Amino acid sequence: TDPRPFCGLLSCGSCGMGVTGEIRIKRQKNGNTHRYVYYHCTKKSKTKKCPESAVRGEELDRQLSVMLTEYTMPKDWAEKLSVMLNTEERKATQSVEGVVQELRENLEDVSSNLVRLTDIYVSQDIEQSDYRERRRLLMSEKKSAEEQIARLEHTPSTWIEPTRNWIKDALILDEIRKTDDLPSKKSSLQKIFGSNLTLRNKKVVEIPVKQWATLRVARQNFSKTDLSLLLACLYCTARTDIMGNPEAFS
């Protein structure tokens, strides 16, 4: 296991370079040795002299763990959001079924027309050039219908499952922050902040992804805002952001 799990997670707040981890060994006069991990700017810039000093790994872990608590989703919120997701999934599926059925019927008609066109051609009742043009048009119509069916059947759920994954990730943050599983902490932090974590004056500065930011604000305003209104706002924000980039939450 890498003793420097947070390497590559943060950037330097002063010069913009990466933050790396360094192992330092301290030997005492009695022969005991202690190993410490320090995180600091890589200081690879040739044009800027970075003033930032190193921060102990334990202190960095403490700060990052505190951050995770701010983005943990309460269990009852997760349950209510899941109900909202299930309801919307059912409605989306039902609304699509009628359109898909109509497209399938059209597809059957096109397939029948292709068979009849082939029979006419075999019977030599149509010119070859006319046959090719009609066949081309029918094949194009068939392909278009097939693509529409595939898209409609896929569309209602493209963002549903990624949103469920987001809820699951948010639910377990408090559990993760209490453990010594630093790689899991790093993975969770990357989901919340992407590449928007910086280290300045030994303090971590954060800029969360939008739906995570909305979750944090919702937690902060919980006592001031009606829960149903708060969850509706959180749901809409998550839906919009995740629908725009579902792969990031898969």
Side-chain angles (χ1 to χ4, degrees), residues 144-199:
S144 176
E146 289 172 340
E147 290 176 347
Q148 287 184 66
I149 290 171
R151 184 171 61 252
L152 285 169
E153 289 180 331
H154 185 59
T155 297
S157 59
T158 52
W159 67 276
I160 296 287
E161 198 57 35
T163 305
R164 288 198 179 103
N165 291 336
W166 171 65
I167 292 172
K168 290 176 184 176
D169 289 338
L171 262 175
I172 62 174
L173 289 181
D174 194 52
E175 179 182 334
I176 288 176
R177 68 103 182 169
K178 294 176 182 176
T179 71
D180 293 326
D181 186 354
L182 302 187
S184 290
K185 287 184 183 180
K186 178 180 181 180
S187 177
S188 295
L189 290 160
Q190 287 174 323
K191 291 176 182 178
I192 299 170
F193 304 107
S195 57
N196 297 320
L197 280 176
T198 57
L199 189 62

Side-chain angles (χ1 to χ4, degrees), residues 87-110:
T87 300
E88 182 152 2
E89 185 176 31
R90 283 195 301 272
K91 288 181 179 178
T93 300
Q94 290 169 359
S95 67
V96 162
E97 284 176 352
V99 179
V100 169
Q101 180 59 35
E102 184 177 342
L103 284 168
R104 289 192 186 282
E105 292 173 358
N106 292 341
L107 193 57
E108 290 179 3
D109 290 342
V110 172

Side-chain angles (χ1 to χ4, degrees), residues 133-148:
E133 178 61 18
R134 292 189 187 183
R135 187 177 186 280
R136 184 187 67 79
L137 292 173
L138 287 170
M139 290 299 295
S140 175
E141 188 176 348
K142 180 182 179 182
K143 182 180 179 182
S144 176
E146 289 172 340
E147 290 176 347
Q148 287 184 66

Side-chain angles (χ1 to χ4, degrees), residues 51-80:
E52 297 291 337
S53 55
V55 59
R56 280 275 293 272
E58 295 89 341
E59 171 58 18
L60 182 61
D61 179 26
R62 185 195 66 78
Q63 291 186 42
L64 295 173
S65 296
V66 169
M67 283 183 181
L68 290 178
T69 65
E70 299 176 359
Y71 300 91
T72 301
M73 183 178 292
K75 186 177 180 181
D76 60 324
W77 293 18
E79 291 172 351
K80 288 180 172 64

